[in-house]
Every structure is written in C-alpha cells, then in structure tokens.
Amino acid sequence: MEPVNPGAPAMRGWCARWSGSGRARLRWLAALVCWGALAALALPRLQPAPPRAHPAPPARLLLQSEAASTPAPMPSTPPSAPRIATDTRVLTEDELRADAERRLPSLPLAYWHKHRNDKNKFYKKKDCAPFPSIYDLEFHNTYWQTLRVKTDVFHFYGAYMDARNTSRIGPAVRVLAVHDRIKPTMTTHCQLWFEEREAPVVVRNLEYKYVWNSKWGNYRDGVLQPYLLACVLPAEVRHLVPASVSIVVDPCDRATNNLRVHYDRPKPPLAQKEFAVCVKGLDFLHEDLSVRLVEWIELIRLMGADKIFFYELQVHPNITKVLNYYNELGVTEVTPITLPGGQPNLPGLQHMYLKKKTTHKRQMELIPYNDCLYRHMYQYRWLALLDIDEVIVPLEDGDWSSLMKRVLPLSQPAPGKPPRSSYHASNLYYLDSLRHEHGWEEGVPRYLHMLQHVYRTRNFTKPGQYVKAFHETERVLALHNHFPLACLGGSCSSYALETRHARLQHYRADCVTALSKSCAELRAQPVRDAALWRWRGALVAAADAALTALAFLPPHR
C-alpha cells in the first residue's frame, strides 16, 4: 500500500476555494501558491522506493566459511582494519571420517562407509547376524564397546589379527576386553566380517584368557578383569584377514559392538625393525614433567628405540606440547585411553582414584600394554614396557642392538627347554634423596634430572622384583608390566641379563610402597655411579635442541 500524506486533501480543498474567488490577479496568485504547496507535498511520493532489505541470515550460517548461494557483495575491509584469526575450515565427509578413525582406532569406519549402500552385502538382510550400523553400537567411556547379557557385561577395547607362526591354534582374531567375572561361563560367538565375502563367518569364541594372576588381588566377581578372547579362523578363510569382528551370544544376534581388526604387517621391501617402547596411560594432570620427559625421550632414542608408543589418561599442557612436538617428528605416537565401566574419568578425580585403588590401576594397565603388543608385533622384534622414570642401560655396549647381539649367544636355553620369550634387567634405584645429600653435579645442566642423579643404592632389588624386559614379539601372548603372563608355543622363558651387561636404572623420589620396610637398607651407603654419562654429550645436545625448539630454553643460554 502506498503511503498517504494526511495534509494533501485539505490543501487541495483550500486551493480550490481560493481559485474560484472574484479578482483575477488574486486568483492567479492564490492558485500559484496553492499548487506549489501541493507539488511539495506530493514530491516524496514521486521518489523511487528504496530497495527492500533482505532478512538477516541465521546466526549458524554466519559461522560457516562457505559462501551463500546469492550473497550480497560485502564492502572491502580497509587495509588497516585487524583481521579475525579464527579457524574457518569446514571439514569434508572424508576428512571427518579420517579424523574419527584416528581418534577411535577400534572403529571399522572405512569398511562400514565403503559398504553402507552395497545391497549385495549380507548385512542388509535382517534374518540373521546383520552387520551393525556404527550408529547402533553401544559405546562406553568413548573408547570401549559393550556387550550386555542379563547380569554380565563385557567391554571391548581392540581386536587384532594374530597370524604368527608360533601360534598353535593357527590364524585367529584376538579381542582385548574386560569382564566382571573371574571365571566366565557364558558361551559367546564371533561374527567375522570380510571384505571378500558377503556373509559373515561365525565361530565360537575359543577361550577367555585371563590376563592377571589371582594372587595379585581383586580376584572376585564384580570387579572388571582383563581378558583376551580368541576367534579362530576356519580353514576356508584362513588366507583372509577379517575387516571387523563382533562378539555376540547367539550366532544370529544383532551385535551391539563391532571392532576393526588391526593387522599392520610391514610389506616388502620394508623389514621388521628392532626396538619400540610402550608407555602405559600417562597420569600427570598437575605435574609438569615436560623437561624430564624430553630428557627421557632423547635418552631412549640414543639407546636405539625406533619409536615410543604412549597412552594418555590426563596430562599437563606442557606435556601435551612435548608429545605434539615429537609426534610431528615421527618419534612418538600417542593414544588416548579411558578407564572402562563405572571407573571415573573426570580429570583430578581419576588421579585420586588411581592413587587409592592401586590394584585396579595395575589391572587396567594391562590394556594399553597388550594393545601396544598386538598393534605393533609385526613391525618390531622387541618391545620394552617402560615408565618415563626408568631406562635399561647397557654397560658394555653403546645401544640396545649391540647389547642383544652380545646376549643372544649367551642366553640359549638348555635342550628341551622352551625358547626365550623375554630378556629382563635387574632393578637399581637412583633416588632423589641420595642426590640431595651430595649437591649438584658440575658440567651437567641442572634441569636434566637423570644426568644430575649419579648416586644409586648399593644393592639391586631382589631377583625378579621390579625388573623390565625386552619382549620377543613372536613369542609373547599376554604381557604384564614386568614379565609375560603367557607365551605361544609353550611356557614362557625369561633370561636374566647379567648385571655386568645391563641393568634397569630407576629414577624415583623414594622406594615403592611395597619396599618401605627395606628401603632404609637400600638407601644406606649409596654409591656414586655415573654410568649414564657415557651418553652425556649427545644427550645434553639433543635435549637442549628440543627444549629450545619447544621454547622451554632461550636460544642463547
């Protein structure tokens, strides 16, 4: 509707009356004035209407970087105006999927995505064992998938193809899980999904391998216990590698879990490498151990480790900065992990829980240790499970490779005995209190913890106590912190490295709680021992270069 000027009708009437008055000259003058006023009143109506403003786009679209279909041209930003430094990327579906696979390596996302619209695939049928959509899986604490049957519960962490020649059961998929029973009696089945077959291959789970020792505590129902399940491949598919596996009760069940099967065997001409190190879930939320971590990583590299695999619970931001730095160099790989079941994962509360519930902590540490074994057993001949305050130090050789070349001829088992599965080093403490009594070491940066600590306990801990080992990946079936719990091809056999050849140097504030009664004896008559100084020059140079790159050290000290 056109806008109305309320003064126009009255003005027209007044002009009409005066135009009709008696005197001609006055009539012309009045008409001129009146019609000029009318023209002024009508002028706004003769102007073109302003363009209608388009409605503002929804606020959500303002946050997206892609342009609208018919955008209005925006005025150019003056060169002097500051630019907003926000992340304007919009990830594609492929990028989102790759990111999800990186964050959750147990999810068979690529396989599911490839066949999601394949009508010939068996999982489109509804009568028996349909392939579960990733949107129907039951996740728990982010990294775990779940099977619930009446009062029993399983949480699954990972699945792995075990095609090692030393396995007596032949090719099998091992599934790493926790279960709330110490003697599982439930029959479960494995639905094995292959790229080459439409229908799944269903086999009965062969065993529940207990990855713990009843004498260590928590041996009761209701506490989550670590297990390895075994899904043996039938003869008709032994030449194939499953893409994923689901654990169910009845063969035709619709699964609530589906795990990607890891099989990372190097392809020729790539050869198996020698050493890698596995580090259990880091729990240092409020402890800035970043500088100590740099020193330790650089020392482990000097010892000959090709890569260090970390698992992360909660860490200080500076530790994250260190790990990101080494990740970009390809030196480390970090896998986030959570505690399964009802155990806490809230930062801070989780640390308090692990501090108090030490047996629960020890049981849950077996998950990252064995995941590390099965993810990397084809890539490396030896795996060492170490904490960031300990290192196996060769005393007559320059690195681990030279040490093992020396040791292997000496460690041959007696006739009829099983082959060696591990080579362990005895534990020797370098305690903080011993260093405090003797001051600082000259010629070594004070911020390099291990190089500064050159006073150790006179005696080793008892044989077999708190040792750490190089584990033969072709032989071990299940790993504990110190020894293998089970081995392929027979019983485990660990060789004790002679203390003149190598030892485990353990850098702690004090003895572990279990040794509190004998710790005073261990601390008595400390010995100055700078065995680590054989690598002092290289270690100081490497650590300083990393600390400078991380901006923890100024460029010129």
Side-chain angles (χ1 to χ4, degrees), residues 343-388:
Q343 299 174 98
N345 287 290
L346 184 71
L349 178 60
Q350 183 188 76
H351 173 76
M352 296 166 60
Y353 173 83
L354 295 174
K355 194 82 172 176
K356 184 71 174 177
K357 297 280 191 176
T358 53
T359 306
H360 291 72
K361 175 184 177 180
R362 301 299 180 203
Q363 285 181 307
M364 293 305 103
E365 287 173 355
L366 299 182
I367 300 301
Y369 282 148
N370 286 280
D371 178 75
C372 190
L373 165 66
Y374 280 96
R375 291 277 298 275
H376 309 295
M377 60 186 176
Y378 302 113
Q379 302 164 6
Y380 299 96
R381 181 179 180 183
W382 313 100
L383 288 181
L385 313 184
L386 298 175
D387 295 337
I388 64 172

Short mmCIF file of all heavy atoms in Angstrom, two decimals, residues 343-388:
data_model
loop_
_atom_site.label_atom_id
_atom_site.label_comp_id
_atom_site.label_asym_id
_atom_site.label_seq_id
_atom_site.Cartn_x
_atom_site.Cartn_y
_atom_site.Cartn_z
N GLN A 343 34.37 -46.80 36.41
CA GLN A 343 35.53 -46.13 36.98
C GLN A 343 35.59 -44.69 36.49
O GLN A 343 35.22 -44.39 35.35
CB GLN A 343 36.81 -46.89 36.60
CG GLN A 343 36.83 -48.31 37.12
CD GLN A 343 38.03 -49.10 36.61
OE1 GLN A 343 39.03 -49.25 37.28
NE2 GLN A 343 37.91 -49.62 35.40
N PRO A 344 36.07 -43.76 37.33
CA PRO A 344 35.99 -42.33 36.97
C PRO A 344 37.00 -41.94 35.89
O PRO A 344 38.12 -42.44 35.87
CB PRO A 344 36.30 -41.63 38.29
CG PRO A 344 37.14 -42.59 39.06
CD PRO A 344 36.62 -43.96 38.69
N ASN A 345 36.56 -41.04 35.04
CA ASN A 345 37.44 -40.47 34.03
C ASN A 345 37.48 -38.95 34.09
O ASN A 345 38.09 -38.32 33.22
CB ASN A 345 36.98 -40.91 32.63
CG ASN A 345 37.30 -42.36 32.36
OD1 ASN A 345 38.46 -42.75 32.20
ND2 ASN A 345 36.28 -43.20 32.33
N LEU A 346 36.86 -38.37 35.10
CA LEU A 346 36.92 -36.93 35.29
C LEU A 346 38.33 -36.54 35.72
O LEU A 346 38.90 -37.15 36.62
CB LEU A 346 35.92 -36.49 36.37
CG LEU A 346 35.80 -34.99 36.61
CD1 LEU A 346 35.12 -34.31 35.43
CD2 LEU A 346 35.04 -34.71 37.90
N PRO A 347 38.94 -35.54 35.06
CA PRO A 347 40.30 -35.12 35.46
C PRO A 347 40.36 -34.79 36.95
O PRO A 347 39.46 -34.18 37.50
CB PRO A 347 40.54 -33.87 34.60
CG PRO A 347 39.67 -34.05 33.41
CD PRO A 347 38.44 -34.76 33.91
N GLY A 348 41.41 -35.18 37.57
CA GLY A 348 41.57 -34.96 39.00
C GLY A 348 40.99 -36.11 39.80
O GLY A 348 41.70 -36.77 40.58
N LEU A 349 39.71 -36.37 39.63
CA LEU A 349 39.08 -37.48 40.35
C LEU A 349 39.68 -38.81 39.89
O LEU A 349 39.90 -39.71 40.71
CB LEU A 349 37.56 -37.47 40.11
CG LEU A 349 36.78 -38.61 40.77
CD1 LEU A 349 36.95 -38.59 42.29
CD2 LEU A 349 35.30 -38.53 40.39
N GLN A 350 39.96 -38.93 38.62
CA GLN A 350 40.58 -40.15 38.12
C GLN A 350 41.95 -40.38 38.76
O GLN A 350 42.29 -41.50 39.15
CB GLN A 350 40.72 -40.08 36.60
CG GLN A 350 41.31 -41.33 35.98
CD GLN A 350 41.61 -41.14 34.50
OE1 GLN A 350 42.59 -40.49 34.14
NE2 GLN A 350 40.76 -41.68 33.65
N HIS A 351 42.74 -39.30 38.89
CA HIS A 351 44.06 -39.41 39.52
C HIS A 351 43.91 -39.87 40.98
O HIS A 351 44.67 -40.74 41.44
CB HIS A 351 44.78 -38.08 39.46
CG HIS A 351 46.08 -38.05 40.22
ND1 HIS A 351 47.23 -38.65 39.75
CD2 HIS A 351 46.39 -37.52 41.44
CE1 HIS A 351 48.19 -38.48 40.64
NE2 HIS A 351 47.71 -37.80 41.66
N MET A 352 42.97 -39.30 41.70
CA MET A 352 42.74 -39.70 43.09
C MET A 352 42.35 -41.17 43.17
O MET A 352 42.80 -41.91 44.06
CB MET A 352 41.65 -38.81 43.70
CG MET A 352 42.03 -37.34 43.81
SD MET A 352 40.60 -36.27 44.15
CE MET A 352 40.04 -36.95 45.71
N TYR A 353 41.51 -41.60 42.25
CA TYR A 353 41.06 -42.99 42.21
C TYR A 353 42.24 -43.94 41.97
O TYR A 353 42.41 -44.94 42.67
CB TYR A 353 40.01 -43.14 41.11
CG TYR A 353 39.56 -44.55 40.84
CD1 TYR A 353 38.58 -45.16 41.62
CD2 TYR A 353 40.10 -45.29 39.79
CE1 TYR A 353 38.15 -46.46 41.37
CE2 TYR A 353 39.68 -46.59 39.53
CZ TYR A 353 38.71 -47.16 40.32
OH TYR A 353 38.29 -48.44 40.07
N LEU A 354 43.07 -43.62 40.99
CA LEU A 354 44.21 -44.50 40.67
C LEU A 354 45.24 -44.52 41.79
O LEU A 354 45.95 -45.51 41.98
CB LEU A 354 44.85 -44.05 39.36
CG LEU A 354 43.98 -44.18 38.10
CD1 LEU A 354 44.68 -43.57 36.91
CD2 LEU A 354 43.63 -45.64 37.84
N LYS A 355 45.34 -43.42 42.51
CA LYS A 355 46.28 -43.35 43.64
C LYS A 355 45.80 -44.26 44.78
O LYS A 355 46.61 -44.90 45.46
CB LYS A 355 46.37 -41.90 44.12
CG LYS A 355 47.51 -41.61 45.06
CD LYS A 355 48.80 -41.38 44.31
CE LYS A 355 49.91 -40.88 45.24
NZ LYS A 355 51.19 -40.75 44.51
N LYS A 356 44.49 -44.29 44.96
CA LYS A 356 43.92 -45.07 46.06
C LYS A 356 43.72 -46.53 45.68
O LYS A 356 44.01 -47.44 46.45
CB LYS A 356 42.59 -44.43 46.47
CG LYS A 356 41.92 -45.09 47.67
CD LYS A 356 42.67 -44.80 48.96
CE LYS A 356 41.91 -45.34 50.17
NZ LYS A 356 42.65 -45.12 51.42
N LYS A 357 43.22 -46.77 44.47
CA LYS A 357 42.87 -48.12 44.03
C LYS A 357 44.03 -48.68 43.19
O LYS A 357 43.93 -48.84 41.96
CB LYS A 357 41.59 -48.08 43.21
CG LYS A 357 40.38 -47.61 43.98
CD LYS A 357 39.81 -48.72 44.83
CE LYS A 357 38.47 -48.37 45.39
NZ LYS A 357 37.86 -49.50 46.15
N THR A 358 45.11 -48.99 43.85
CA THR A 358 46.32 -49.38 43.11
C THR A 358 46.15 -50.72 42.38
O THR A 358 46.71 -50.90 41.29
CB THR A 358 47.52 -49.46 44.06
OG1 THR A 358 47.20 -50.32 45.16
CG2 THR A 358 47.88 -48.08 44.59
N THR A 359 45.40 -51.65 42.94
CA THR A 359 45.22 -52.94 42.27
C THR A 359 44.35 -52.77 41.03
O THR A 359 44.62 -53.37 39.98
CB THR A 359 44.60 -53.97 43.22
OG1 THR A 359 45.38 -54.05 44.42
CG2 THR A 359 44.56 -55.35 42.58
N HIS A 360 43.30 -51.97 41.13
CA HIS A 360 42.50 -51.66 39.95
C HIS A 360 43.39 -51.01 38.88
O HIS A 360 43.27 -51.32 37.69
CB HIS A 360 41.36 -50.70 40.30
CG HIS A 360 40.30 -51.31 41.16
ND1 HIS A 360 40.50 -51.59 42.48
CD2 HIS A 360 39.01 -51.66 40.89
CE1 HIS A 360 39.40 -52.11 43.00
NE2 HIS A 360 38.47 -52.16 42.05
N LYS A 361 44.25 -50.11 39.32
CA LYS A 361 45.16 -49.44 38.38
C LYS A 361 46.05 -50.45 37.67
O LYS A 361 46.21 -50.40 36.44
CB LYS A 361 46.02 -48.43 39.14
CG LYS A 361 47.10 -47.76 38.31
CD LYS A 361 47.97 -46.84 39.15
CE LYS A 361 49.09 -46.24 38.32
NZ LYS A 361 49.96 -45.35 39.11
N ARG A 362 46.64 -51.39 38.43
CA ARG A 362 47.53 -52.38 37.82
C ARG A 362 46.79 -53.25 36.81
O ARG A 362 47.32 -53.60 35.76
CB ARG A 362 48.15 -53.28 38.90
CG ARG A 362 48.96 -52.55 39.95
CD ARG A 362 50.13 -51.81 39.36
NE ARG A 362 50.91 -51.12 40.37
CZ ARG A 362 51.69 -50.07 40.13
NH1 ARG A 362 51.80 -49.60 38.90
NH2 ARG A 362 52.37 -49.49 41.11
N GLN A 363 45.55 -53.60 37.13
CA GLN A 363 44.78 -54.41 36.19
C GLN A 363 44.50 -53.65 34.90
O GLN A 363 44.61 -54.20 33.80
CB GLN A 363 43.46 -54.84 36.84
CG GLN A 363 43.62 -55.96 37.86
CD GLN A 363 42.29 -56.37 38.46
OE1 GLN A 363 41.55 -55.53 38.97
NE2 GLN A 363 41.98 -57.65 38.41
N MET A 364 44.14 -52.38 35.02
CA MET A 364 43.80 -51.61 33.83
C MET A 364 45.03 -51.25 33.00
O MET A 364 44.93 -50.99 31.81
CB MET A 364 43.05 -50.34 34.22
CG MET A 364 41.66 -50.59 34.81
SD MET A 364 40.58 -51.59 33.73
CE MET A 364 40.64 -53.21 34.53
N GLU A 365 46.23 -51.25 33.61
CA GLU A 365 47.45 -51.00 32.84
C GLU A 365 47.72 -52.10 31.82
O GLU A 365 48.41 -51.87 30.82
CB GLU A 365 48.65 -50.90 33.79
CG GLU A 365 48.70 -49.62 34.59
CD GLU A 365 49.79 -49.62 35.64
OE1 GLU A 365 50.46 -50.67 35.81
OE2 GLU A 365 49.98 -48.58 36.29
N LEU A 366 47.15 -53.28 32.04
CA LEU A 366 47.39 -54.38 31.12
C LEU A 366 46.70 -54.15 29.77
O LEU A 366 47.09 -54.76 28.76
CB LEU A 366 46.90 -55.69 31.74
CG LEU A 366 47.61 -56.07 33.05
CD1 LEU A 366 47.11 -57.40 33.58
CD2 LEU A 366 49.11 -56.13 32.84
N ILE A 367 45.69 -53.27 29.75
CA ILE A 367 45.01 -52.99 28.48
C ILE A 367 45.95 -52.26 27.51
O ILE A 367 46.17 -52.74 26.39
CB ILE A 367 43.72 -52.21 28.73
CG1 ILE A 367 42.76 -53.01 29.62
CG2 ILE A 367 43.06 -51.83 27.40
CD1 ILE A 367 42.35 -54.35 29.05
N PRO A 368 46.53 -51.11 27.88
CA PRO A 368 47.44 -50.46 26.92
C PRO A 368 48.69 -51.29 26.62
O PRO A 368 49.18 -51.27 25.48
CB PRO A 368 47.80 -49.14 27.61
CG PRO A 368 47.47 -49.32 29.04
CD PRO A 368 46.32 -50.28 29.08
N TYR A 369 49.21 -52.01 27.60
CA TYR A 369 50.40 -52.82 27.33
C TYR A 369 50.12 -53.86 26.24
O TYR A 369 50.91 -54.05 25.31
CB TYR A 369 50.86 -53.53 28.60
CG TYR A 369 51.62 -52.65 29.56
CD1 TYR A 369 51.55 -52.85 30.93
CD2 TYR A 369 52.43 -51.62 29.10
CE1 TYR A 369 52.26 -52.05 31.82
CE2 TYR A 369 53.13 -50.82 29.97
CZ TYR A 369 53.05 -51.03 31.33
OH TYR A 369 53.75 -50.23 32.20
N ASN A 370 48.99 -54.55 26.34
CA ASN A 370 48.70 -55.60 25.37
C ASN A 370 48.18 -55.04 24.06
O ASN A 370 48.40 -55.64 23.00
CB ASN A 370 47.73 -56.62 25.98
CG ASN A 370 48.42 -57.52 27.00
OD1 ASN A 370 49.08 -58.47 26.63
ND2 ASN A 370 48.27 -57.19 28.28
N ASP A 371 47.51 -53.91 24.09
CA ASP A 371 47.15 -53.25 22.85
C ASP A 371 48.41 -52.85 22.08
O ASP A 371 48.49 -53.02 20.85
CB ASP A 371 46.30 -52.01 23.14
CG ASP A 371 45.93 -51.25 21.87
OD1 ASP A 371 45.06 -51.70 21.12
OD2 ASP A 371 46.53 -50.18 21.63
N CYS A 372 49.40 -52.34 22.80
CA CYS A 372 50.66 -51.96 22.17
C CYS A 372 51.35 -53.17 21.56
O CYS A 372 51.89 -53.11 20.44
CB CYS A 372 51.57 -51.28 23.20
SG CYS A 372 53.04 -50.49 22.50
N LEU A 373 51.32 -54.29 22.25
CA LEU A 373 51.91 -55.52 21.71
C LEU A 373 51.24 -55.92 20.40
O LEU A 373 51.90 -56.14 19.38
CB LEU A 373 51.78 -56.66 22.74
CG LEU A 373 52.02 -58.07 22.19
CD1 LEU A 373 53.45 -58.25 21.74
CD2 LEU A 373 51.62 -59.12 23.23
N TYR A 374 49.91 -56.02 20.41
CA TYR A 374 49.21 -56.56 19.26
C TYR A 374 49.13 -55.58 18.10
O TYR A 374 49.01 -55.99 16.94
CB TYR A 374 47.82 -57.05 19.68
CG TYR A 374 47.88 -58.40 20.34
CD1 TYR A 374 47.93 -58.52 21.72
CD2 TYR A 374 47.95 -59.56 19.58
CE1 TYR A 374 48.02 -59.76 22.33
CE2 TYR A 374 48.04 -60.81 20.17
CZ TYR A 374 48.07 -60.90 21.54
OH TYR A 374 48.17 -62.14 22.14
N ARG A 375 49.20 -54.28 18.38
CA ARG A 375 49.19 -53.31 17.30
C ARG A 375 50.52 -53.27 16.55
O ARG A 375 50.56 -52.93 15.37
CB ARG A 375 48.89 -51.90 17.86
CG ARG A 375 47.47 -51.69 18.37
CD ARG A 375 46.50 -51.34 17.27
NE ARG A 375 46.85 -50.10 16.62
CZ ARG A 375 46.52 -48.90 17.04
NH1 ARG A 375 45.83 -48.75 18.17
NH2 ARG A 375 46.86 -47.82 16.36
N HIS A 376 51.62 -53.63 17.25
CA HIS A 376 52.95 -53.40 16.67
C HIS A 376 53.84 -54.64 16.66
O HIS A 376 55.04 -54.53 16.41
CB HIS A 376 53.65 -52.28 17.45
CG HIS A 376 52.80 -51.06 17.59
ND1 HIS A 376 52.41 -50.31 16.51
CD2 HIS A 376 52.22 -50.48 18.68
CE1 HIS A 376 51.65 -49.30 16.92
NE2 HIS A 376 51.51 -49.39 18.22
N MET A 377 53.27 -55.83 16.88
CA MET A 377 54.10 -57.03 16.98
C MET A 377 54.72 -57.43 15.65
O MET A 377 55.74 -58.14 15.62
CB MET A 377 53.27 -58.19 17.54
CG MET A 377 52.07 -58.57 16.70
SD MET A 377 51.09 -59.84 17.55
CE MET A 377 49.71 -60.01 16.42
N TYR A 378 54.16 -57.01 14.53
CA TYR A 378 54.76 -57.33 13.24
C TYR A 378 55.81 -56.31 12.83
O TYR A 378 56.67 -56.60 12.00
CB TYR A 378 53.68 -57.40 12.16
CG TYR A 378 52.60 -58.42 12.44
CD1 TYR A 378 51.30 -58.02 12.71
CD2 TYR A 378 52.90 -59.78 12.45
CE1 TYR A 378 50.31 -58.95 12.97
CE2 TYR A 378 51.91 -60.72 12.72
CZ TYR A 378 50.62 -60.30 12.99
OH TYR A 378 49.65 -61.22 13.26
N GLN A 379 55.75 -55.12 13.39
CA GLN A 379 56.66 -54.04 12.98
C GLN A 379 57.99 -54.08 13.72
O GLN A 379 58.99 -53.58 13.21
CB GLN A 379 55.98 -52.70 13.22
CG GLN A 379 54.66 -52.54 12.49
CD GLN A 379 53.84 -51.39 13.04
OE1 GLN A 379 54.30 -50.64 13.89
NE2 GLN A 379 52.62 -51.26 12.57
N TYR A 380 58.00 -54.67 14.94
CA TYR A 380 59.20 -54.64 15.79
C TYR A 380 59.48 -56.04 16.35
O TYR A 380 58.57 -56.77 16.72
CB TYR A 380 59.02 -53.65 16.93
CG TYR A 380 58.81 -52.24 16.44
CD1 TYR A 380 57.52 -51.72 16.31
CD2 TYR A 380 59.87 -51.43 16.07
CE1 TYR A 380 57.31 -50.43 15.83
CE2 TYR A 380 59.68 -50.16 15.59
CZ TYR A 380 58.39 -49.66 15.48
OH TYR A 380 58.19 -48.39 14.99
N ARG A 381 60.76 -56.34 16.45
CA ARG A 381 61.13 -57.63 17.03
C ARG A 381 61.05 -57.60 18.55
O ARG A 381 60.67 -58.60 19.17
CB ARG A 381 62.56 -58.01 16.60
CG ARG A 381 62.99 -59.36 17.16
CD ARG A 381 64.39 -59.76 16.74
NE ARG A 381 64.74 -61.07 17.31
CZ ARG A 381 65.91 -61.66 17.18
NH1 ARG A 381 66.87 -61.07 16.45
NH2 ARG A 381 66.14 -62.85 17.74
N TRP A 382 61.43 -56.45 19.13
CA TRP A 382 61.46 -56.35 20.59
C TRP A 382 60.57 -55.18 21.04
O TRP A 382 60.61 -54.10 20.45
CB TRP A 382 62.88 -56.08 21.10
CG TRP A 382 63.95 -56.94 20.52
CD1 TRP A 382 64.82 -56.62 19.52
CD2 TRP A 382 64.29 -58.26 20.92
NE1 TRP A 382 65.67 -57.65 19.26
CE2 TRP A 382 65.37 -58.69 20.11
CE3 TRP A 382 63.79 -59.14 21.88
CZ2 TRP A 382 65.94 -59.94 20.23
CZ3 TRP A 382 64.36 -60.39 22.00
CH2 TRP A 382 65.43 -60.79 21.19
N LEU A 383 59.83 -55.42 22.12
CA LEU A 383 59.08 -54.36 22.79
C LEU A 383 59.54 -54.28 24.24
O LEU A 383 59.68 -55.30 24.91
CB LEU A 383 57.58 -54.62 22.76
CG LEU A 383 56.83 -54.47 21.44
CD1 LEU A 383 55.35 -54.75 21.64
CD2 LEU A 383 57.03 -53.09 20.84
N ALA A 384 59.77 -53.07 24.71
CA ALA A 384 60.09 -52.84 26.12
C ALA A 384 58.96 -52.01 26.73
O ALA A 384 58.54 -51.00 26.15
CB ALA A 384 61.42 -52.11 26.27
N LEU A 385 58.46 -52.45 27.89
CA LEU A 385 57.42 -51.72 28.60
C LEU A 385 58.10 -50.90 29.70
O LEU A 385 58.52 -51.46 30.72
CB LEU A 385 56.40 -52.69 29.20
CG LEU A 385 55.87 -53.81 28.30
CD1 LEU A 385 54.79 -54.61 29.01
CD2 LEU A 385 55.34 -53.26 26.99
N LEU A 386 58.20 -49.61 29.49
CA LEU A 386 58.95 -48.76 30.41
C LEU A 386 58.09 -47.59 30.90
O LEU A 386 57.19 -47.13 30.20
CB LEU A 386 60.21 -48.19 29.74
CG LEU A 386 61.26 -49.20 29.26
CD1 LEU A 386 62.38 -48.48 28.51
CD2 LEU A 386 61.83 -49.99 30.44
N ASP A 387 58.40 -47.12 32.12
CA ASP A 387 57.86 -45.86 32.61
C ASP A 387 58.84 -44.75 32.26
O ASP A 387 60.01 -45.02 31.93
CB ASP A 387 57.64 -45.93 34.12
CG ASP A 387 56.57 -46.95 34.50
OD1 ASP A 387 55.73 -47.27 33.64
OD2 ASP A 387 56.59 -47.45 35.64
N ILE A 388 58.40 -43.51 32.39
CA ILE A 388 59.26 -42.40 31.98
C ILE A 388 60.30 -42.04 33.03
O ILE A 388 61.00 -41.03 32.86
CB ILE A 388 58.42 -41.16 31.60
CG1 ILE A 388 57.65 -40.63 32.82
CG2 ILE A 388 57.46 -41.49 30.46
CD1 ILE A 388 56.96 -39.30 32.55
#
